[in-house]
Structure formats: structure tokens, C-alpha cells
Amino acid sequence: QVELVESGGGSVQSGGSLRLHCIVSGYTADTYSIGWFRQVPGKQREGVCAIDHDGGITYADSVKGRFTVSQDNTENTLTLHLQMNSLKPEDTAMYYCAGGVIFDTDVVLDPDHYSFWGQGTQVTVSS
């Protein structure tokens, strides 16, 4: 059973930084892709970034150069980090981490391909 628990959300002013964390347990590193997604009420969930099963990293165009994803692995637990710099009001959303068995790297930012989700952590950026 894969479990994901996010932390690190909060409120910052435009231009500020936040660092999110997601503890993932029960996964199999060589088959899972792990990603960050975000959702604003009334809008579809969108992919922010993802690390695929081969370790490749993909970012959404909207966050390239501002967000950095990284991971730490210990035995069967992975901690996924998301460093968010130069935050903008449009980055305000509920942020989720998710895991799934995905072998097509073209879809790693598509939330429909992920099976396991955390509960989310709120990020609010004020202007």
C-alpha cells in the first residue's frame, strides 16, 4: 500500500519561497513515477513537476526556473521535496504529491495516470 503525506505549505508574499515535502512509503522505486500537482477550486488539477521511474525530471513550463524537485531515498521510503522560489499569486493552490506506475514519460504530468495521492497542502501567495 503506497502512502503519501505532504507538509510545508503556507502563506507568503509574491517573490517569496516555500519548500514542500512529501513522504512516500510502500513504493517500488524502479516502477513508480512521483509528481507534484496543484489545483485551484473550480479548475482541473495540473501537473507541476515529476520524477519518472528512470530518474528523469519534467517541469511544467509555468514553473521552470523557479521550482526545483528533489528526492531522498532510504530503504522503502522516499521523501520528495519541492523548492518553490519567486512565487507568484498564480501559484496559489492546493499542492498534492502523487505516485503511479507510469512508463510513458510523455504523460508524467498528467494526473489521470497517477493512482496514489496525498491529502494536499495549501500554498497561498499574496501580491
Side-chain angles (χ1 to χ4, degrees):
Q1 180 72 19
V2 179
E3 295 186 348
L4 305 98
V5 179
E6 303 98 335
S7 62
S11 298
V12 294
Q13 290 191 326
S14 182
S17 298
L18 281 174
R19 186 172 174 86
L20 305 183
H21 311 279
C22 176
I23 298 176
V24 186
S25 58
Y27 81 109
T28 304
D30 59 350
T31 59
Y32 271 83
S33 294
I34 305 290
W36 285 101
F37 297 81
R38 63 188 182 186
Q39 188 169 23
V40 175
K43 293 189 177 181
Q44 288 188 330
R45 191 168 296 186
E46 64 173 359
V48 175
C49 57
I51 302 178
D52 65 42
H53 66 287
D54 284 334
I57 297 175
T58 302
Y59 292 97
D61 289 343
S62 59
V63 305
K64 281 181 181 177
R66 300 188 298 121
F67 290 13
T68 303
V69 65
S70 60
Q71 64 181 39
D72 298 314
N73 297 329
T74 56
E75 295 185 4
N76 70 336
T77 298
L78 174 153
T79 303
L80 191 68
H81 309 284
L82 182 63
Q83 179 66 42
M84 304 185 295
N85 298 328
S86 302
L87 283 162
K88 305 174 181 180
E90 51 263 44
D91 294 318
T92 295
M94 184 70 79
Y95 282 70
Y96 301 88
C97 66
V101 179
I102 303 171
F103 294 105
D104 181 357
T105 56
D106 288 340
V107 299
V108 289
L109 293 183
D110 185 347
D112 290 341
H113 291 268
Y114 285 78
S115 304
F116 303 99
W117 293 84
Q119 81 287 351
T121 186
Q122 178 68 36
V123 171
T124 303
V125 184
S126 57
S127 57

